[in-house]
């Protein structure tokens, strides 16, 4: 059975989970208005391993939420992941952040559209079917009244994520369902990471970079 440490740092939610055979056995997370990753991430990792009476050498792999998301949060998470993978000589699994957000709800029909806040009226978005298969590429886009009309015209669409409120204010379509303030969590990483580990679906630790989607602009 694989023992996988999962790190999610793409938003203000600093989240760490430990999974055994795809099942979460421990979780630490803190979602505040300020990014706490630099202070809390390694503390959470240490607390989880001690709680389970495990040494880092017991880990079979490490999973990271690869973005898009916060530049600072992603860099802190990926740096921590790379350091552990190098020192422990274990593989690194990279999971798209919007994929994780889509797994926070379950629907039987229609579409799931995770929306991550990207400042002003812009969001990072993707479209998934009820089986969590991605049916539209990940984009950085400015929200307008007729955004996602192609999917809304087909049936129910479930919008989820910390960018949902922006769209709720301008969208009045009867097929739109809004799930506000759902942040990605390491909890959803556990099962996905296990399946990817079984397939040896890993990334090169030396060359892996977060998926920023947009260039960094200093403000």
């Amino acid at each position: 059975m694989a023992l996988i440490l999962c790190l999610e740092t793409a938003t203000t939610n600093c989240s760490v989970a430990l999974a055994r055979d795809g099942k979460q056995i421990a979780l630490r997370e803190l979602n505040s208005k300020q990014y706490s990753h630099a202070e809390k991430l390694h503390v959470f990792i240490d607390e989880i391993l001690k709680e389970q009476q495990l040494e880092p050498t017991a880990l079979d792999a490490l999973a990271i939420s690869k973005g898009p998301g916060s530049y600072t949060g992603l860099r802190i998470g990926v740096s921590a992941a790379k350091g552990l993978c190098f020192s422990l000589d274990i593989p690194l699994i990279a999971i798209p952040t919007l994929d994780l957000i889509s797994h926070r709800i379950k629907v039987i029909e229609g579409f799931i559209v995770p929306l991550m806040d990207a400042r002003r009226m812009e969001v990072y978005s993707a479209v998934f079917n009820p089986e969590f298969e991605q049916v539209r590429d990940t984009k950085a886009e400015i929200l307008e009244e007729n955004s996602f009309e192609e999917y809304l015209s087909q049936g129910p669409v479930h919008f989820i994520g910390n960018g949902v409120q922006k769209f709720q204010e301008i969208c009045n379509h009867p097929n739109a369902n809004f799930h506000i303030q759902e942040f990605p969590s390491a909890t959803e990483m556990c099962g996905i990471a296990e399946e990817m580990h079984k397939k040896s679906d890993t990334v090169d630790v030396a060359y892996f970079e977060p998926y920023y989607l947009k260039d960094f602009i200093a403000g």
Side-chain angles (χ1 to χ4, degrees):
M1 293 189 293
L3 188 68
I4 303 176
L5 185 68
C6 302
L7 310 181
E8 165 42 61
T9 62
T11 66
T12 52
N13 189 25
C14 181
S15 183
V16 179
L18 187 63
R20 179 177 284 119
D21 200 25
K23 305 296 183 183
Q24 178 179 292
I25 60 173
L27 175 70
R28 291 286 190 283
E29 60 183 1
L30 175 64
N31 189 6
S32 61
K33 293 182 179 179
Q34 302 296 323
Y35 287 92
S36 60
H37 307 48
E39 296 82 11
K40 295 295 185 180
L41 183 60
H42 287 89
V43 173
F44 287 169
I45 293 171
D46 185 57
E47 287 180 353
I48 279 180
L49 291 174
K50 287 181 177 177
E51 173 189 298
Q52 297 297 314
Q53 299 181 330
L54 294 168
E55 294 294 328
T57 51
L59 296 173
D60 295 299
L62 194 144
I64 187 72
S65 172
K66 74 175 187 178
S70 157
Y71 295 96
T72 302
L74 289 171
R75 281 208 172 276
I76 291 172
V78 170
S79 295
K82 284 189 171 189
L84 287 167
C85 287
F86 270 124
S87 63
L88 299 171
D89 192 24
I90 57 176
L92 177 62
I93 299 163
I95 305 173
T97 305
L98 293 177
D99 194 341
L100 297 176
I101 297 176
S102 74
H103 277 76
R104 302 220 73 177
I105 56 173
K106 290 179 173 59
V107 301
I108 59 174
E109 62 176 336
F111 300 95
I112 302 171
V113 179
L115 301 177
M116 284 186 67
D117 189 2
R119 297 184 179 182
R120 299 185 177 89
M121 284 303 289
E122 192 170 18
V123 295
Y124 302 121
S125 69
V127 181
F128 297 83
N129 64 22
E131 290 73 42
F132 304 111
E133 297 168 332
Q134 190 166 345
V135 297
R136 199 215 70 186
D137 292 342
T138 300
K139 297 180 181 178
E141 58 186 310
I142 296 173
L143 291 171
E144 299 175 347
E145 185 178 353
N146 62 349
S147 293
F148 308 104
E149 179 65 32
E150 173 186 352
Y151 304 98
L152 288 163
S153 64
Q154 298 180 50
V157 179
H158 298 266
F159 296 95
I160 183 169
N162 65 342
V164 164
Q165 190 168 359
K166 293 178 180 181
F167 192 45
Q168 186 177 23
E169 293 172 356
I170 60 174
C171 175
N172 297 309
H173 200 287
N175 285 335
N177 299 276
F178 301 102
H179 307 262
I180 299 176
Q181 293 298 331
E182 289 288 350
F183 288 82
S185 170
T187 294
E188 280 70 43
M189 299 177 72
C190 297
I192 300 172
E194 175 68 17
E195 291 305 310
M196 293 177 71
H197 182 258
K198 288 178 180 177
K199 299 174 184 176
S200 297
D201 186 359
T202 61
V203 297
D204 189 310
V205 177
Y207 294 101
F208 174 73
E209 290 289 338
Y211 178 44
Y212 294 120
L213 192 56
K214 295 198 306 178
D215 292 333
F216 174 72
I217 301 175

